[in-house]
Amino acid sequence: PHEVGYQLDERHVAAAAVSADGRPGPLAAVQWDTSVASDRALAEEVAATLARVARDSGYERFLIVGYGPDGAERAGLLSDALLATADLPEPLRVHVDHDTWRVQLPGSEQWSPAQPLPDLSAAAVLEGTPLPASSREELAHRFDPLPEPLYGDVAARDAPLFADSAPSFRADVAVRSLHHLAVPGQSDDRDRMATLAHLTTAGPAAVRDAVIVAAADDPARTDVLVRTYRAAPEQHRPALATTAAAAVYLGGGQSPAIEAILRHADREGPNAALTRLVEAAKNQGINPHKIRRAIGSSIATELDEADARWHQSRSSAVRSASFPTTARSVGADAAAAAYRPAPGGRSTGPE
């Protein structure tokens, strides 16, 4: 429950992917509803999904946990279906029932003696980790936008300063703001939240991507980006929701959290492509750590290219101002008419 974010009951079966070196991978919890399909059909459907995750993410080992009185049987059915579907190592099976757990090791027919489940509540409080929600729906509501925004746009003097600065400078200020807000006691700095929101949403995409990678590298910074999205004024909310969902995904965050944030993401604007990419990657179980490494290794190049385009556009603007074209705009014609000599030889404008 602490990993998926909400309490699991006797209707659930969970499957966690584990890498060869023991790193945790994608985690899924499904409701085992025999009113929809038979036990065997449900096992085969979930197994097909897990096999796809293994193929797309590179994780080949699975831990399967069955909950409730029928949890042991369901874990066995899912394990058998997975082995019949893909050439994978035999999963480790765990049965949780009435605050106890037991394990069945690969290759064994015997379950270990039941042991009490450890109480992780105190450790979660000490780590600042929220306790599991009572349900998936309650967890989703934890990621809804706040009823009222906590901040507005950046100060009037800052907006033109940022607009007149290179993208690499904007990215540096945005990431510094992210780090500042992740420091204990600084999370409610509304000016920094406004700065982070403005720079992340104003473009170019290289600035946004630098923020995503910096946030995904640390859970505290991921939480900052989620809080900034939830507290955002409406004009920044879709872009920040996309950005926050990407950071949660790349950080290996909970699937329900990603889904909840994506409900408010950009669907038609400049971040729509990223919204679709995060959805597709999450649904296909693609290893987020590989994507994060790939994006992280390209950020410097992306910012260099954005800076080059920015300098080029400024140079073009300066040349245009210094050497205007011979084409006359409507405004230029109107200005010329205002200074044209009136009948009788006098100018209507200044001498």
Side-chain angles (χ1 to χ4, degrees), residues 17-19 21-27 56-59 213 216-219 246-253 281 285-297:
V18 183
S19 68
D21 59 1
R23 288 184 298 106
L27 172 65
D56 295 341
S57 69
Y59 291 97
V213 171
D217 280 342
D218 180 76
V248 174
Y249 166 71
L250 292 178
I286 297 175
N287 185 345
H289 303 292
K290 290 184 177 180
I291 298 178
R292 187 175 73 193
R293 286 195 296 269
I295 295 176
S297 64

